[in-house]
Amino acid sequence: MLIKRNTPAIKSSEITDEQLYINRRNLLKTAGTALGAMAVPVLANTPKRKVLRHDETVIGSTPDWMQEKLGRTVPGNFSTDEPVTPFEYITKYNNFYEFGTDKEDPSRNAKDFHTDPWSVEIMGEAEVTGQFTLEDILRPHPLEERIYRLRCVEAWSMVVPWIGFPLADLIKRFKPTSKAKYVRFETLFDPERMPGQRSFFSAIDYPYVEGLRMDEATNELALMVVGLYGQHLPPQNGAPLRLVIPWKYGFKSIKSIVRIEFTSRRPRTTWERSAPNEYGFYANVNPNVDHPRWSQATERRLPGSLFRPQRMETMMFNGYGPQVAHLYSDLNLKRNF
Ligand code: MTE
């Protein structure tokens, strides 16, 4: 990841005041029926909280069937109760190199990125393969909200109320064979619609590729994501379908997925290819293994300010050790960073 010294600060007018935001969140927690038609059903065995919504701004659009599906979202497990990062930050401070390398570029340049129709190709070592519409992909999966920490390799972090469903449930449908040891994901390659893919000075080769070991991909925390804050995914956050792997650095959470392949060999991933000594295949959040150019011991939780930076200690596996540490019991995490 390129770290830019002069990354433009997000304008304060664009950021919801944090205290205001927290008040709104408390209100949402206790509002009961006050949300009226916006309220989503809470099932008996799901956590007793409401799905977080941000209705003042809706970015991009989504088909009606998707809107209806999102309306049936229920609160899921594994959510942190740490303060959630304001919507304006999550949607204006982005890494999506296909739309530019500055943090504000994706929100500016992805405005007209339409994602309907969308299809996903399933290929490789599986019994069920082929081209599927987004609706085919999503139909059997009820949506849940999971509020996860997102830790970028650049040492900033956020807390995001994602909407999605377990990747494991999707994988099961395609019946991977015994040869399938890894899952490879690919982002759309369309230089006409993605200006960053036309750049001669690009730091990375497109299409963007990511990968997981099969046991990582089927871990209960790995999430296929289609929304955030109660609405569909804005284009800058990887519409219409992205991955979120909360115990790994953010670059593993690949956006705008068009291809999923089951492979016997470990895929060569984008950042690993472009700087193998800096970005590994595993990319587990690890405060004990520094990036060659900066420490990973602490992180800057967004939003913060020059006078009130929210600097905090980074947790092993981003705090998700109880769910994932067993996956790496035989692995030297210093060598396999
Ligand atoms: N996926 C694609 N296709 N292109 C990218 O540039 N950036 C990654 C990841 N997924 C990226 C991507 C990085 S470095 C991070 S930190 C997260 O997306 C950021 O997700 P967000 O913008 O929704 O916070």
Side-chain angles (χ1 to χ4, degrees), residues 120-130 132 137 167-186 210-215 217-218 224 259-267:
V120 180
E121 186 180 7
I122 308 292
M123 46 190 296
E125 307 290 352
E127 285 177 31
V128 182
T129 55
F132 296 85
I137 292 280
L167 173 61
D169 293 348
L170 183 68
I171 288 178
K172 224 181 283 164
R173 284 171 58 203
F174 304 117
K175 304 194 173 118
T177 68
S178 57
K179 286 192 189 146
K181 304 285 184 241
Y182 296 88
V183 192
R184 179 183 181 277
F185 302 86
E186 205 176 294
E210 257 311 331
L212 295 169
R213 241 171 36 190
M214 189 58 97
D215 59 347
T218 52
M224 261 347 270
R259 192 159 291 125
I260 300 177
E261 183 179 359
F262 298 98
T263 64
S264 56
R265 293 244 187 110
R266 189 166 110 178

Side-chain angles (χ1 to χ4, degrees), residues 1 89-91 93-100 106 150-154 156 158 160 162 186-188 194 197 204 206-210 228 233 236-238 242-243 249-257 271:
M1 235 67 26
Y89 239 95
I90 293 172
T91 57
Y93 190 93
N94 298 104
N95 276 338
F96 198 172
Y97 275 35
E98 286 85 339
F99 292 100
L150 170 74
R151 169 60 157 84
C152 180
V153 74
E154 296 164 348
W156 53 263
M158 297 190 193
V160 185
W162 302 112
E186 205 176 294
T187 294
L188 177 71
M194 295 178 140
Q197 293 179 337
I204 56 180
Y206 295 107
Y208 194 101
V209 169
E210 257 311 331
L228 56 84
L233 267 182
Q236 59 266 40
N237 294 95
R242 72 174 288 176
L243 207 59
Y249 292 122
F251 67 87
K252 298 294 289 183
S253 294
I254 181 173
K255 297 178 169 181
S256 303
I257 295 168
W271 284 103

Side-chain angles (χ1 to χ4, degrees), residues 3 48 55 59 63 93 116 152 175 179 194 209 287 302 310 316:
I3 289 280
K48 284 191 179 41
D55 290 316
I59 304 174
Y93 190 93
D116 178 32
C152 180
K175 304 194 173 118
K179 286 192 189 146
M194 295 178 140
V209 169
L302 301 176
Q310 297 198 72
M316 187 67 207

